[in-house]
Amino acid sequence: MKAQFKTVNGFKFERFQTKSFSETELLKRSKTYFEKINARRTVREFSDKPVPAAVIRNLIRAASSAPSGAHKQPWTFCVVKDLNLKKQIRIAAEKEERESYENRMSEEWLDAIKPLQTDWNKPFLETAPYLIIVFKHSYEVKPDGTKKNNYYVTESVGLACGFLLTAIHHAGLVALTHTPSPMNFLSDILKRPANEKPFLLIPVGYPNAETWVPRLKRKNLKAVLVEY
Ligand code: IYR
């Protein structure tokens, strides 16, 4: 298909065309994809088996293709492979997590995550070959030092993380959506500028040869869907 362009009020548009499938094909494709994505699990037991850096770069490309408010793409993906940095992150995260588990989280919260059997120990922060730390840009700084707004930043970065998780699963790797709290230590260790705030810490790699995950049930369609 030859590329087509037009100009609207001085702004360039390009023709977008996508393949049209029959209803039978739509049904089959949507079901196949559901089955594939439904097999994704959050994993906490990582193998230290290396993953090529080029794979991780493609995953970040996929994540960064997510829609964002005013197409600002208000995100940075920090990919940490360096063993010393991973160790620093583990030590800092475990310090915060220990304080959270022992003093900051309510009984109700601790009770809610009991089925996951997590605690403040985070060995995966060193075992996983990569840590992807996602930062959201609350605003941008122009070359002259003035601030420029971003829009729907949390929604946008949430979408990019969703894209990242599906890309990781599709590639055949596993991930953990880890939220050490508070996360400011990541800005310090990774020396991020003041307009970037840590959003999610995502260890990525292969699962352990023997990996166990909580036996969780997902809500059925009836519980999550309202048809009008
Ligand atoms: N952030 C802590 C605790 C934790 C909180 C929730 I909500 C979870 O779904 C799982 C864990 C941790 O990562 O251990």
Side-chain angles (χ1 to χ4, degrees), residues 25-67:
E25 284 168 318
L26 287 180
L27 253 170
K28 191 168 151 230
R29 290 169 63 88
S30 56
K31 182 156 183 283
T32 303
Y33 184 70
F34 160 63
E35 283 163 0
K36 179 163 176 77
I37 199 65
N38 195 39
R40 184 206 58 82
R41 292 301 310 261
T42 291
V43 162
R44 292 182 170 78
E45 296 171 38
F46 286 84
S47 155
D48 62 0
K49 184 176 166 180
V51 172
V55 171
I56 303 297
R57 289 194 200 110
N58 284 336
L59 300 175
I60 304 299
R61 280 183 161 134
S64 196
S65 77

Side-chain angles (χ1 to χ4, degrees), residues 21 26 104 134:
F21 296 103
L26 287 180
R104 290 194 284 237
V134 187

